Amino acid sequence: MNNNALQALTERIALEYFQRPFQHRAYFNSRLRTTGGRYLLGSHDIEVNPKQYVAFGEAALVDIIKHELCHYYLHLDGKGYQHRDKDFKCLSQQVGAPRFCTPIQSYESRANYVYQCQSCHARYMRIRKVNTLRMRCGKCGGKLVDITNKDK
């Protein structure tokens, strides 16, 4: 699927689910990493992560587009377009737009660091490095030790 096909799909979904035309651009953005798509407030364009299409197919793409179109129409109407707003939650439910997309990689596969508590031996996986002098175990308050190199 290319950007033209994505634009046509977005326009079709807008008419089918929202009964309104989509008058801006929808395109793939391969730099998106942790999100399925995003609505741009300034330009009113919709960006979609192409990895979602490759991993999960057109059905996932339709769900992402419906979610982003909820942001789009609510923002244009001057209503609450953020995830926490009642207007957004109502519209999402009406059109069957999911709150989140399916992650491409699990958290465990993305984690680069593993920490273990010295007291209770609880393990914590983290994507980013943690300052072990400031952070403590969430279960017992014990000291954390980086055991990343020992596990991987």
Side-chain angles (χ1 to χ4, degrees):
M1 181 176 282
N2 60 14
N3 286 334
N4 293 333
L6 179 66
Q7 180 73 31
L9 178 64
T10 305
E11 290 171 1
R12 184 176 57 81
I13 291 170
L15 289 172
E16 184 179 330
Y17 289 95
F18 298 89
Q19 291 77 43
R20 295 172 65 180
F22 176 70
Q23 299 176 332
H24 291 85
R25 288 183 8 176
Y27 54 90
F28 287 111
N29 182 351
S30 58
R31 291 170 301 169
L32 295 177
R33 297 178 61 136
T34 59
T35 184
R38 76 178 160 190
Y39 165 63
L40 302 172
L41 295 172
S43 64
H44 305 295
D45 292 343
I46 292 176
E47 296 179 337
V48 178
N49 188 341
K51 295 173 199 141
Q52 285 286 327
Y53 176 67
V54 171
F56 303 111
E58 192 170 321
L61 215 57
V62 169
D63 285 343
I64 291 167
I65 292 169
K66 284 195 291 188
H67 177 94
E68 299 308 327
L69 284 173
C70 288
H71 290 296
Y72 173 77
Y73 289 119
L74 290 170
H75 180 247
L76 291 179
D77 292 345
K79 296 181 180 176
Y81 61 88
Q82 295 180 340
H83 290 120
R84 66 176 179 250
D85 294 328
K86 185 179 178 184
D87 293 329
F88 181 82
K89 290 177 183 176
C90 277
L91 185 59
S92 294
Q93 192 173 24
Q94 285 175 4
V95 298
R99 189 172 163 120
F100 302 105
C101 64
T102 309
I104 296 171
Q105 287 183 313
S106 67
Y107 188 84
E108 288 79 18
S109 68
R110 292 175 47 216
N112 298 319
Y113 302 97
V114 180
Y115 298 93
Q116 186 171 16
C117 175
Q118 285 185 330
S119 301
C120 70
H121 304 290
R123 287 186 176 213
Y124 300 96
M125 299 179 88
R126 294 291 178 263
I127 294 172
R128 299 174 107 183
K129 196 167 195 161
V130 169
N131 183 352
T132 56
L133 298 175
R134 294 185 66 205
M135 302 300 281
R136 294 297 196 138
C137 175
K139 294 178 180 159
C140 72
K143 187 177 186 325
L144 297 177
V145 178
D146 185 358
I147 61 166
T148 304
N149 297 334
K150 297 173 188 168
D151 275 3
K152 287 189 177 183

